[in-house]
Each structure stands twice: as structure tokens, then as C-alpha cells.
């Protein structure tokens, strides 16, 4: 089992019909800083968490919940909850890679580009998730993400 902390800030902000900018102004941070707090890109101090809870009219315990899940579920959630920009970059890279794979007579330049795109995918995967996902898995994830974005 893996211990995770789930951030429910976005859920409660939307329930209160507040924008990220509204909350950011009330807790005296930039909208970008609050967006990073809300999406777990930045960790903030307990005083700011308490201010967010006050603005959203909830308890701190409601904003952050600790749960235990299996390692497989943890890895699946890490992948599915990645930021959309990375998803777009990986999707574009995979689309380009697919186009290059469809070329029948691949020149040396095409083969080098395929190799470079494979490296990009690996690096982004390691940087973001700490492991390398198989290309087939990325394809499944990207297809799932496309359906979720529609």
C-alpha cells in the first residue's frame, strides 16, 4: 500500500463558484501560485492552507485527505492525473512518431528523428513520473485522456 494525500481544494472552490483568481486574491498570492497549490505543483505552509480553508468555508481536514491505495492504483493515478500540458506534448510527440513509423522507406534522417522522439518520451516520462512507461501504455493513456477531454 502507498499513502497518498488527496487535495480537494479545486472541488470545494468550484462548489463555492469561485475562480482561482478569487481565492488567490483573498489569500494574498498570485493566481499562478494558487493554481500550483491547487494542482499540487507547489507545497504551501499550514497558515496558507488554513487561509484557503477559511475562504472555502471548510475544515483543513476536508481539503486534504490521507488515503492508502495499492501501488498499481497509485501508478495509474499518477499517470492519469498528470498535467494537461505534458499530455499534449506527449500526444504531439506520439502522433509525430506514428507518422514517421508509417513511412515505408525510412531514410537515415527519419530513423534519427524516430530515435530522438523516443528519447524525448523517455525523458519526459522519467522526469514527470520517475519511471518509463511502455509506448503501448502511453498510447492507451493518451487515448483515454482524449476521451476525457471531449
Amino acid at each position: 500500500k502507498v499513502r497518498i494525500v488527496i487535495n480537494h481544494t479545486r472541488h470545494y472552490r468550484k462548489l463555492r463558484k469561485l475562480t482561482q483568481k478569487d481565492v488567490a486574491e483573498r489569500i494574498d498570492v498570485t493566481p499562478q501560485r494558487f493554481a500550483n497549490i491547487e494542482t499540487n505543483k507547489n507545497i504551501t505552509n499550514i497558515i496558507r492552507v488554513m487561509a484557503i480553508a477559511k475562504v472555502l468555508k471548510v475544515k483543513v481536514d476536508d481539503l486534504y485527505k490521507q488515503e492508502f491505495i495499492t501501488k498499481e492504483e497509485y501508478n495509474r493515478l499518477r499517470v492519469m492525473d498528470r498535467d494537461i500540458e505534458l499530455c499534449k506534448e506527449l500526444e504531439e510527440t506520439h502522433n509525430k512518431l506514428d507518422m514517421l513509423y508509417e513511412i515505408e522507406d525510412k531514410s537515415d534522417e527519419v530513423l534519427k528523428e524516430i530515435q530522438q522522439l523516443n528519447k524525448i518520451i523517455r525523458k519526459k516520462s522519467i522526469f514527470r513520473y520517475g519511471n518509463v512507461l511502455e509506448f503501448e501504455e502511453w498510447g492507451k493513456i493518451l487515448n483515454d485522456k482524449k476521451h476525457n477531454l471531449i
Side-chain angles (χ1 to χ4, degrees):
K1 295 274 182 174
V2 176
R3 182 185 348 198
I4 62 170
V5 175
I6 299 176
N7 183 344
H8 293 290
T9 305
R10 182 178 188 174
H11 169 74
Y12 287 110
R13 177 180 60 78
K14 288 190 172 219
L15 277 178
R16 300 279 180 245
K17 297 185 174 141
L18 296 170
T19 65
Q20 288 180 337
K21 185 178 178 183
D22 294 334
V23 178
E25 288 173 355
R26 294 180 190 182
I27 65 168
D28 198 30
V29 297
T30 65
Q32 181 62 43
R33 171 83 170 137
F34 178 73
N36 287 340
I37 293 167
E38 186 178 81
T39 58
N40 292 323
K41 289 181 184 170
N42 281 27
I43 297 172
T44 192
N45 63 35
I46 189 65
I47 294 170
R48 191 158 289 132
V49 170
M50 291 170 67
I52 293 168
K54 185 175 180 181
V55 168
L56 299 177
K57 300 177 182 167
V58 297
K59 297 177 190 172
V60 171
D61 286 352
D62 294 331
L63 286 181
Y64 295 93
K65 300 263 184 198
Q66 176 180 280
E67 290 186 17
F68 291 89
I69 59 174
T70 65
K71 285 185 180 183
E72 293 80 19
E73 182 67 7
Y74 175 73
N75 286 332
R76 190 185 70 74
L77 289 173
R78 284 180 67 189
V79 171
M80 292 310 293
D81 290 340
R82 70 193 178 285
D83 57 303
I84 290 175
E85 284 307 308
L86 180 63
C87 180
K88 286 179 185 175
E89 288 175 41
L90 285 168
E91 183 177 12
E92 289 168 6
T93 305
H94 270 280
N95 289 340
K96 193 170 185 180
L97 194 59
D98 288 343
M99 286 178 14
L100 293 174
Y101 277 133
E102 289 176 8
I103 298 172
E104 289 185 26
D105 295 324
K106 295 174 182 68
S107 66
D108 287 342
E109 289 178 11
V110 170
L111 291 172
K112 285 180 184 178
E113 190 169 0
I114 288 172
Q115 188 176 24
Q116 185 63 33
L117 293 174
N118 283 328
K119 285 181 183 178
I120 290 169
I121 291 168
R122 282 189 185 103
K123 284 180 183 177
K124 287 187 181 299
S125 176
I126 291 168
F127 176 75
R128 187 70 171 109
Y129 307 113
N131 63 357
V132 178
L133 297 172
E134 295 296 326
F135 295 141
E136 295 80 27
E137 287 301 311
W138 273 118
K140 289 179 197 172
I141 291 162
L142 293 170
N143 284 334
D144 289 347
K145 195 66 171 180
K146 282 181 197 174
H147 295 300
N148 290 336
L149 293 175
I150 295 175

